[in-house]
Every structure is written in C-alpha cells, then in structure tokens.
Amino acid sequence: MIRNTKMLYFPMYNDKYGKLVPVEANGNVPFDVKRVYYIYEVMDGMRRGFHSHRDLQQALICIHGSVKILVKTPFEEDVVCLNNPQEALWIGPMVWREMYDFENDGVLLVLASEHYTEDDYIRDYQSYEQEAKVFFNVKEKRTYK
Amino acid sequence: MIRNTKMLYFPMYNDKYGKLVPVEANGNVPFDVKRVYYIYEVMDGMRRGFHSHRDLQQALICIHGSVKILVKTPFEEDVVCLNNPQEALWIGPMVWREMYDFENDGVLLVLASEHYTEDDYIRDYQSYEQEAKVFFNVKEKRTYK
C-alpha cells in the first residue's frame, strides 16, 4: 500500500437471516463519521474522483458489485479493487484518488471524517503534486501510517 | 407515518459520471452518526429485526434493490417500502421494526446515533408492548415528532 492508505477489515454476522457488517466510528474506522455518501449507477468507462483532500480521512467500502480505486502520491501509486463489504480502503490526507470500473451495479459507500468543505479539495493534479511534495517531505510526521 | 418515524430526503448529484447522495451527520440526518451497518444477501422469505430500541435513533436507507420495513407501536403500524437511495426512514426510540422482502439484491444501510449497546434493545414483543405503553403515555414529550 502507498503512504497514507491502508485496508481496514470489519467483522460480519452471517446467519440464515442474511449478512450484517457493523462499522463503529472511532472503533473499526479510526475517525468520527461526520459525513456519509454513496456513489452508484456509474456507467461503463466512466472515471471519477480526480482530487485529493488536504485533511480529510475517508473509508471507502464497496457494498454491492465492485469498483477500482487508483490512489497516488507524487512518489508512488496503487490500484485497489474493492468487492467485499467487509473491507474498506482508508485514505488519509494528501492522496490523489480516481474511481473507475464500477461493475455489477457497483455501489461505493464513503465514510468521511469531516463535513463537506470545498477548501479541503485539491482538484488540479499539478497543484496537488507541488503541495504533496511539501507535505510529505516537510511534514512527514503528519502521515498516519 | 406512525409516531417516532418519519421520512428524510437527501439531495443527489447526478451527472454523466454517475450519482452521488451526500448525508451529513447532524445535518440531513438529525443525529451524530456513531455507528453504521449494512445488511445484504437476505434470502427470499427471510424476515429480520424483531426488536425495538429504547433510545437509539436510526436512518434506514436502501442503497440497492428494495426492502420493506414494518414499523409498529402498541397503537398503530405501518409498512414502508424503501427503494430510493435519496430517502431514509428515520426511526426514533421505542418503535418495533421488522425488515423483509429484500429484493433485487437489496442492501440496507443503517446509520445509528449510538454505538452498539445490548441494553438498549428490547427483543421480546410482550415486554416491548408494556414498556412502550408507559413510554408513549407517560413520557409523550420525549417523542421526536
């Protein structure tokens, strides 16, 4: 995994009544959940995201179908395929992300540590790269790994 | 709608990149989100829930397929069919609930105002009925409607 990303694993209660996966804020996700959103009905060939956050932490969970997530810093990149509701991709600050290949009616649930703030987004890759180089080199201790 | 239940409606951002529904804790859901869980792969004919909570508030959102929710007090009952990710069924304290007819690969996302506490559950209908009669008659002002 690249810096400021990791996988989280959740328990599942599975019986004849179906499956239930519990996620506790400040428990098996390591932050307050102030915002939740879900992305669905993403057509074949569509790719979305294309931004980084300055401070936000998120947990990305694919709760139906599958989806691929490209995570990237100026120094490295990784593709994570999410297709298991018991797994989340945690993304910390200053990681570029793109989401694509939503398959089998893919639904991506995102839990976020803060309310929506446009100031927290970096949407231009060149600007991101410059800011991330400073962030990771100068403020290495702010990484969460 | 019966007492201590209501529908919540969320915005949706819909463009060529897909659909996104944002839910803000203490915003368009009226509580801190301390716990999130999701229920899926519920077989035909299975019915689950069969409990009430003493204090918990929840928002139930069907983010894939459809599901029916029976909500019930000692005085009234209602069936809500959830099949739209922009809608949530808010359930306040002391409402009995049963979930069934998970169709088209139904996935039910539940946002909860508190962490899991077994003491908050009432799992026996007779006990629920007794406690709810006291709750609603004597402490009517604790209802959230």
Side-chain angles (χ1 to χ4, degrees):
Chain A
M1 304 288 296
I2 68 166
R3 70 195 66 198
N4 272 13
T5 67
K6 65 183 168 189
M7 296 305 295
L8 308 175
Y9 300 95
F10 308 132
M12 179 178 52
Y13 303 106
N14 184 10
D15 59 28
K16 67 176 179 173
Y17 300 106
K19 294 179 174 165
L20 186 153
V21 173
V23 180
E24 304 278 350
N26 283 308
N28 50 17
V29 292
F31 51 79
D32 276 342
V33 176
K34 295 196 182 151
R35 185 173 198 241
V36 170
Y37 63 89
Y38 30 93
I39 297 168
Y40 58 105
E41 292 183 25
V42 177
M43 307 285 269
D44 282 356
M46 284 300 170
R47 200 172 174 102
R48 55 185 295 153
F50 296 102
H51 65 265
S52 167
H53 289 279
R54 291 190 170 89
D55 286 310
L56 193 71
Q57 296 178 60
Q58 294 186 316
L60 282 66
I61 307 163
C62 185
I63 53 179
H64 189 272
S66 65
V67 59
K68 293 198 186 79
I69 317 288
L70 168 76
V71 280
K72 189 171 174 178
T73 71
F75 320 105
E76 68 223 307
E77 67 179 67
D78 203 357
V79 171
V80 177
C81 180
L82 295 174
N83 58 11
N84 179 349
Q86 286 189 259
E87 292 180 359
L89 170 61
W90 175 86
I91 306 181
M94 292 304 279
V95 176
W96 187 262
R97 85 279 317 268
E98 297 171 19
M99 292 93 103
Y100 61 103
D101 281 1
F102 284 72
E103 286 178 0
N104 298 316
D105 245 9
V107 179
L108 181 66
L109 172 66
V110 180
L111 311 179
S113 64
E114 300 296 339
H115 292 293
Y116 177 84
T117 323
E118 185 56 35
D119 288 349
D120 190 58
Y121 283 77
I122 310 174
R123 297 185 188 273
D124 170 67
Y125 189 74
Q126 303 310 115
S127 309
Y128 161 72
E129 204 168 44
Q130 282 188 342
E131 206 170 317
K133 280 179 182 168
V134 174
F135 176 84
F136 284 113
N137 288 336
V138 177
K139 299 178 179 173
E140 187 71 33
K141 282 175 189 154
R142 285 184 63 190
T143 65
Y144 286 71
K145 258 195 174 165
Chain B
M1 305 286 298
I2 68 166
R3 70 195 68 199
N4 272 12
T5 66
K6 65 182 168 189
M7 297 304 295
L8 308 174
Y9 301 94
F10 307 132
M12 178 180 51
Y13 302 107
N14 183 11
D15 58 27
K16 67 177 179 173
Y17 300 106
K19 294 179 174 166
L20 186 154
V21 173
V23 181
E24 304 278 350
N26 283 308
N28 50 17
V29 291
F31 51 78
D32 275 341
V33 175
K34 296 197 182 150
R35 184 172 197 242
V36 170
Y37 63 88
Y38 29 92
I39 297 168
Y40 57 104
E41 292 182 24
V42 177
M43 307 285 270
D44 281 357
M46 283 301 169
R47 199 172 173 103
R48 55 184 295 154
F50 296 101
H51 64 266
S52 168
H53 289 280
R54 291 191 170 89
D55 286 309
L56 194 70
Q57 297 179 59
Q58 294 186 316
L60 282 65
I61 308 163
C62 185
I63 54 179
H64 190 270
S66 65
V67 58
K68 292 198 185 79
I69 317 288
L70 168 76
V71 280
K72 190 170 173 177
T73 71
F75 320 104
E76 68 221 310
E77 67 180 66
D78 202 359
V79 171
V80 177
C81 180
L82 295 174
N83 59 10
N84 178 350
Q86 287 189 258
E87 291 180 0
L89 170 61
W90 175 85
I91 306 181
M94 291 305 276
V95 176
W96 187 262
R97 85 278 318 265
E98 297 171 18
M99 291 93 104
Y100 61 103
D101 282 0
F102 283 73
E103 286 178 359
N104 299 315
D105 244 9
V107 179
L108 182 66
L109 172 67
V110 181
L111 311 179
S113 65
E114 299 296 338
H115 292 292
Y116 177 83
T117 321
E118 185 56 35
D119 288 350
D120 190 58
Y121 283 77
I122 310 172
R123 297 185 188 275
D124 170 67
Y125 189 76
Q126 304 311 115
S127 310
Y128 161 72
E129 203 167 47
Q130 283 187 342
E131 205 170 318
K133 281 179 182 167
V134 174
F135 176 84
F136 285 113
N137 289 335
V138 176
K139 300 178 179 173
E140 186 70 34
K141 284 176 189 155
R142 283 184 65 192
T143 63
Y144 286 70
K145 259 193 176 170

Short mmCIF file of all heavy atoms in Angstrom, two decimals, chain A residues 85-106:
data_model
loop_
_atom_site.label_atom_id
_atom_site.label_comp_id
_atom_site.label_asym_id
_atom_site.label_seq_id
_atom_site.Cartn_x
_atom_site.Cartn_y
_atom_site.Cartn_z
N PRO A 85 -17.76 -6.26 1.09
CA PRO A 85 -18.31 -5.31 2.07
C PRO A 85 -17.62 -5.35 3.43
O PRO A 85 -17.84 -4.47 4.26
CB PRO A 85 -19.77 -5.75 2.20
CG PRO A 85 -20.08 -6.50 0.95
CD PRO A 85 -18.79 -7.18 0.58
N GLN A 86 -16.79 -6.37 3.66
CA GLN A 86 -16.07 -6.44 4.94
C GLN A 86 -14.74 -5.68 4.90
O GLN A 86 -14.01 -5.68 5.90
CB GLN A 86 -15.77 -7.90 5.29
CG GLN A 86 -16.97 -8.67 5.76
CD GLN A 86 -16.54 -10.02 6.29
OE1 GLN A 86 -16.66 -11.03 5.60
NE2 GLN A 86 -16.03 -10.04 7.51
N GLU A 87 -14.40 -5.09 3.78
CA GLU A 87 -13.12 -4.38 3.64
C GLU A 87 -13.36 -2.91 3.32
O GLU A 87 -14.27 -2.59 2.56
CB GLU A 87 -12.33 -4.93 2.47
CG GLU A 87 -11.82 -6.32 2.64
CD GLU A 87 -11.04 -6.79 1.42
OE1 GLU A 87 -10.92 -6.00 0.44
OE2 GLU A 87 -10.57 -7.92 1.44
N ALA A 88 -12.51 -2.06 3.86
CA ALA A 88 -12.53 -0.65 3.46
C ALA A 88 -11.13 -0.22 3.07
O ALA A 88 -10.14 -0.70 3.64
CB ALA A 88 -13.04 0.22 4.60
N LEU A 89 -11.07 0.67 2.13
CA LEU A 89 -9.81 1.36 1.83
C LEU A 89 -9.81 2.67 2.60
O LEU A 89 -10.65 3.54 2.34
CB LEU A 89 -9.69 1.60 0.32
CG LEU A 89 -8.55 2.52 -0.12
CD1 LEU A 89 -7.18 1.95 0.26
CD2 LEU A 89 -8.62 2.77 -1.63
N TRP A 90 -8.90 2.79 3.57
CA TRP A 90 -8.75 4.04 4.29
C TRP A 90 -7.81 4.93 3.51
O TRP A 90 -6.74 4.47 3.07
CB TRP A 90 -8.19 3.77 5.69
CG TRP A 90 -7.87 5.01 6.47
CD1 TRP A 90 -8.75 5.74 7.24
CD2 TRP A 90 -6.61 5.67 6.58
NE1 TRP A 90 -8.09 6.80 7.81
CE2 TRP A 90 -6.78 6.79 7.42
CE3 TRP A 90 -5.34 5.44 6.04
CZ2 TRP A 90 -5.75 7.67 7.74
CZ3 TRP A 90 -4.29 6.31 6.35
CH2 TRP A 90 -4.51 7.41 7.19
N ILE A 91 -8.22 6.16 3.29
CA ILE A 91 -7.36 7.14 2.60
C ILE A 91 -7.20 8.34 3.52
O ILE A 91 -8.19 8.96 3.93
CB ILE A 91 -7.95 7.58 1.25
CG1 ILE A 91 -8.27 6.37 0.36
CG2 ILE A 91 -6.99 8.53 0.53
CD1 ILE A 91 -8.85 6.75 -1.02
N GLY A 92 -5.97 8.64 3.87
CA GLY A 92 -5.67 9.79 4.71
C GLY A 92 -5.46 11.04 3.86
O GLY A 92 -5.76 11.07 2.67
N PRO A 93 -4.90 12.08 4.47
CA PRO A 93 -4.70 13.34 3.78
C PRO A 93 -3.72 13.24 2.61
O PRO A 93 -2.80 12.42 2.63
CB PRO A 93 -4.10 14.24 4.87
CG PRO A 93 -4.56 13.66 6.15
CD PRO A 93 -4.59 12.19 5.92
N MET A 94 -3.91 14.06 1.63
CA MET A 94 -2.95 14.32 0.54
C MET A 94 -2.66 13.09 -0.31
O MET A 94 -1.50 12.82 -0.68
CB MET A 94 -1.65 14.92 1.10
CG MET A 94 -1.84 16.32 1.66
SD MET A 94 -2.53 17.50 0.45
CE MET A 94 -1.07 17.95 -0.46
N VAL A 95 -3.72 12.37 -0.64
CA VAL A 95 -3.60 11.25 -1.58
C VAL A 95 -4.56 11.51 -2.75
O VAL A 95 -5.75 11.75 -2.54
CB VAL A 95 -3.96 9.90 -0.91
CG1 VAL A 95 -3.93 8.76 -1.92
CG2 VAL A 95 -3.01 9.61 0.25
N TRP A 96 -4.04 11.50 -3.94
CA TRP A 96 -4.87 11.66 -5.14
C TRP A 96 -5.67 10.38 -5.37
O TRP A 96 -5.15 9.28 -5.18
CB TRP A 96 -3.95 11.91 -6.34
CG TRP A 96 -4.67 12.26 -7.60
CD1 TRP A 96 -4.99 11.42 -8.62
CD2 TRP A 96 -5.15 13.55 -7.98
NE1 TRP A 96 -5.65 12.11 -9.61
CE2 TRP A 96 -5.76 13.42 -9.25
CE3 TRP A 96 -5.14 14.82 -7.36
CZ2 TRP A 96 -6.33 14.50 -9.92
CZ3 TRP A 96 -5.71 15.89 -8.03
CH2 TRP A 96 -6.30 15.73 -9.29
N ARG A 97 -6.93 10.50 -5.75
CA ARG A 97 -7.72 9.29 -5.98
C ARG A 97 -8.60 9.40 -7.23
O ARG A 97 -9.11 10.48 -7.55
CB ARG A 97 -8.57 8.92 -4.77
CG ARG A 97 -9.91 9.54 -4.56
CD ARG A 97 -9.85 10.94 -3.95
NE ARG A 97 -8.93 11.15 -2.87
CZ ARG A 97 -9.21 11.01 -1.58
NH1 ARG A 97 -10.41 10.68 -1.19
NH2 ARG A 97 -8.32 11.28 -0.66
N GLU A 98 -8.75 8.27 -7.90
CA GLU A 98 -9.67 8.15 -9.05
C GLU A 98 -10.42 6.84 -8.89
O GLU A 98 -9.86 5.84 -8.46
CB GLU A 98 -8.87 8.16 -10.36
CG GLU A 98 -8.12 9.48 -10.57
CD GLU A 98 -7.14 9.49 -11.73
OE1 GLU A 98 -7.26 8.63 -12.63
OE2 GLU A 98 -6.24 10.37 -11.73
N MET A 99 -11.72 6.86 -9.20
CA MET A 99 -12.56 5.66 -9.06
C MET A 99 -13.08 5.26 -10.44
O MET A 99 -13.57 6.12 -11.18
CB MET A 99 -13.77 5.97 -8.17
CG MET A 99 -13.43 6.22 -6.71
SD MET A 99 -13.19 7.98 -6.35
CE MET A 99 -14.75 8.33 -5.54
N TYR A 100 -13.01 3.98 -10.75
CA TYR A 100 -13.44 3.54 -12.08
C TYR A 100 -13.83 2.07 -12.06
O TYR A 100 -13.70 1.41 -11.03
CB TYR A 100 -12.34 3.81 -13.11
CG TYR A 100 -11.04 3.10 -12.86
CD1 TYR A 100 -10.70 1.96 -13.59
CD2 TYR A 100 -10.15 3.55 -11.88
CE1 TYR A 100 -9.51 1.29 -13.36
CE2 TYR A 100 -8.96 2.88 -11.64
CZ TYR A 100 -8.65 1.75 -12.38
OH TYR A 100 -7.47 1.08 -12.13
N ASP A 101 -14.30 1.58 -13.21
CA ASP A 101 -14.73 0.17 -13.33
C ASP A 101 -15.75 -0.20 -12.25
O ASP A 101 -15.60 -1.21 -11.55
CB ASP A 101 -13.52 -0.78 -13.27
CG ASP A 101 -12.77 -0.85 -14.60
OD1 ASP A 101 -13.17 -0.14 -15.55
OD2 ASP A 101 -11.78 -1.59 -14.68
N PHE A 102 -16.78 0.60 -12.12
CA PHE A 102 -17.91 0.21 -11.28
C PHE A 102 -18.60 -0.94 -12.01
O PHE A 102 -19.18 -0.73 -13.07
CB PHE A 102 -18.89 1.38 -11.11
CG PHE A 102 -18.43 2.45 -10.14
CD1 PHE A 102 -17.40 3.32 -10.47
CD2 PHE A 102 -19.04 2.58 -8.90
CE1 PHE A 102 -17.00 4.31 -9.58
CE2 PHE A 102 -18.63 3.56 -8.00
CZ PHE A 102 -17.61 4.43 -8.34
N GLU A 103 -18.54 -2.14 -11.46
CA GLU A 103 -19.10 -3.30 -12.16
C GLU A 103 -20.19 -3.99 -11.34
O GLU A 103 -20.22 -3.86 -10.12
CB GLU A 103 -17.98 -4.28 -12.52
CG GLU A 103 -17.16 -3.74 -13.69
CD GLU A 103 -15.99 -4.63 -14.09
OE1 GLU A 103 -15.79 -5.68 -13.46
OE2 GLU A 103 -15.27 -4.24 -15.03
N ASN A 104 -21.06 -4.74 -12.03
CA ASN A 104 -22.16 -5.45 -11.38
C ASN A 104 -22.96 -4.52 -10.47
O ASN A 104 -23.18 -4.83 -9.30
CB ASN A 104 -21.62 -6.65 -10.57
CG ASN A 104 -20.94 -7.65 -11.46
OD1 ASN A 104 -21.45 -7.98 -12.54
ND2 ASN A 104 -19.77 -8.11 -11.06
N ASP A 105 -23.33 -3.37 -11.04
CA ASP A 105 -24.14 -2.43 -10.24
C ASP A 105 -23.38 -1.97 -9.00
O ASP A 105 -23.92 -1.96 -7.89
CB ASP A 105 -25.43 -3.14 -9.79
CG ASP A 105 -26.66 -2.52 -10.41
OD1 ASP A 105 -26.52 -1.67 -11.30
OD2 ASP A 105 -27.76 -2.91 -9.99
N GLY A 106 -22.14 -1.60 -9.20
CA GLY A 106 -21.27 -1.22 -8.09
C GLY A 106 -21.83 -0.05 -7.29
O GLY A 106 -22.28 0.94 -7.86
#
